[in-house]
């Protein structure tokens, strides 16, 4: 049976594709206070601002291309069963060819009903406006897990992490819970790699290797090593 690699990725893996990270910019996300644009309260207060913020993220996302880091993870599928648990809302893992991606914090290119969270729609272009309705007539919102909201796919991610034979963390400051705690579910004997030019503080644990490099170079090297095993 193929070994399972579980990857936890964050905004840093998309940095070299031209998508800004969040904490590298003093807690502002593209110049905005996250509480204004990434919380249910922010949406209630100024839905137009929030919709426009994500419209801009979508425009930017459409221009971005997967980088060598995304591609290296996709290539690992030649030999491994790879599950990517991403905090990213962009679709660059999928566009690089990864086939099993769990979007913990939602997906930029999907919208969902404000009245019925089970009504989720693929988006054609970049624009979501006030007045865009679901089939039941309620306003649509971005299909994003905002700060303060539950993370419905966390249980699935924990189950995958517990079954990992190899665990890779890339491009995350490990500041947002519950995602940041995922490594705690990985067994001691499992090799764990953290790829980040400025690695986040991780508790010392067995079989942990820090690779202080950018995603493109660090993951390309690591994937070559793992494919050669
Ligand atoms: P973060 O911004 O908090 O941390 C980014 C991490 O990436 C840092 O540790 C930084 O050192 C590292 N990094 C910077 N450049 C890198 C590179 N070239 N290669 C590898 N690592 C690099 O990101 P986070 O931990 O993912 O938390 C941000 C939250 O905001 C997430 O919950 C996410 O949903 C959201 N977000 C998503 C996107 C996206 O979808 N691309 C972008 C920004 C923010």
């Amino acid at each position: 049976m193929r070994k399972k690699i579980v990857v936890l990725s964050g905004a840093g893996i998309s940095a070299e594709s031209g998508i800004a990270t969040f904490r590298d910019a003093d807690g502002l996300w593209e110049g905005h206070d996250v509480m204004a644009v990434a919380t249910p309260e922010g949406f209630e207060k100024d839905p137009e601002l929030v919709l426009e913020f994500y419209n801009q993220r979508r425009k930017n996302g459409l221009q971005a291309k997967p980088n060598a880091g995304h591609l290296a993870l996709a290539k690992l599928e030649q030999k491994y069963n790879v599950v990517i648990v991403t905090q990213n809302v962009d679709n660059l893992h999928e566009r690089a060819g990864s086939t099993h991606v769990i979007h913990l914090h939602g997906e930029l290119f999907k919208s969902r009903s404000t009245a019925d969270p089970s009504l989720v729609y693929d988006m054609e272009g970049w624009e979501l406006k006030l007045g865009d309705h679901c089939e039941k007539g309620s306003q649509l919102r971005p299909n994003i897990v905002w700060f303060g909201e539950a993370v419905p796919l966390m249980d699935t991610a924990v189950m995958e992490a517990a079954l990992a034979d190899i665990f890779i963390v890339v491009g995350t400051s490990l500041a947002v819970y519950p995602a940041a705690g995922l490594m705690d579910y990985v067994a001691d004997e499992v090799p764990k790699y953290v790829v980040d030019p400025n690695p986040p503080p991780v508790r010392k644990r067995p079989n942990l290797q820090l690779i202080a490099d950018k995603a493109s170079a660090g993951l390309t090297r690591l994937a070559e090593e793992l494919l050669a095993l």
Side-chain angles (χ1 to χ4, degrees):
M1 212 171 64
R2 287 177 161 223
K3 285 191 168 178
K4 186 192 278 274
I5 297 183
V6 178
V7 181
L8 173 65
S9 73
I13 194 173
S14 297
E16 292 166 87
S17 295
I19 299 182
T21 61
F22 164 40
R23 282 189 178 67
D24 289 334
D26 295 334
L28 291 183
W29 191 357
E30 298 281 355
H32 291 272
D33 173 359
V34 286
M35 299 314 278
V37 293
T39 61
E41 295 78 18
F43 185 60
E44 202 164 302
K45 191 167 165 212
D46 193 345
E48 222 160 352
L49 171 81
V50 175
L51 291 175
E52 184 49 27
F53 173 76
Y54 286 99
N55 286 343
Q56 292 307 321
R57 303 285 71 71
R58 251 175 246 115
K59 270 191 188 172
N60 189 204
L62 285 171
Q63 282 163 7
K65 290 193 181 64
N67 64 56
H70 300 102
L71 294 168
L73 293 179
K75 203 169 168 194
L76 283 172
E77 292 194 18
Q78 290 174 0
K79 182 162 180 180
Y80 296 93
N81 170 11
V82 183
V83 178
I84 298 184
V85 177
T86 188
Q87 299 167 86
N88 295 346
V89 297
D90 66 51
N91 57 7
L92 295 178
H93 283 301
E94 288 91 338
R95 283 168 55 202
S98 287
T99 58
H100 192 166
V101 184
I102 298 170
H103 281 275
L104 276 186
H105 294 164
E107 292 177 76
L108 195 51
F109 291 96
K110 289 187 179 173
S111 64
R112 84 163 182 260
S113 165
T114 47
D116 178 351
S118 72
L119 296 176
V120 174
Y121 305 91
D122 285 329
M123 286 184 64
E124 295 279 311
W126 55 269
E127 197 175 23
L128 189 60
K129 302 186 299 292
L130 273 186
D132 288 344
H133 289 153
C134 73
E135 66 212 56
K136 290 186 177 168
S138 296
Q139 175 65 41
L140 287 170
R141 58 166 273 183
N143 187 33
I144 303 284
V145 175
W146 284 325
F147 289 98
E149 294 187 313
V151 183
L153 288 173
M154 192 59 201
D155 288 350
T156 311
V158 165
M159 221 169 59
E160 295 290 358
L163 293 173
D165 298 302
I166 296 171
F167 191 74
I168 301 172
V169 175
V170 56
T172 170
S173 59
L174 294 177
V176 179
Y177 279 83
L182 200 60
M183 208 182 337
D184 295 338
Y185 297 92
V186 181
D188 277 358
E189 67 275 14
V190 169
K192 304 161 194 77
Y193 303 90
V194 175
V195 182
D196 198 308
N198 184 16
V202 271
R203 182 169 63 73
K204 259 198 154 168
R205 55 190 96 209
N207 296 308
L208 175 70
Q209 194 181 320
L210 297 183
I211 300 175
D213 208 342
K214 290 184 173 178
S216 56
L219 286 178
T220 300
R221 246 183 5 253
L222 179 59
E224 276 168 12
E225 269 173 42
L226 296 174
L227 288 169
L229 284 181

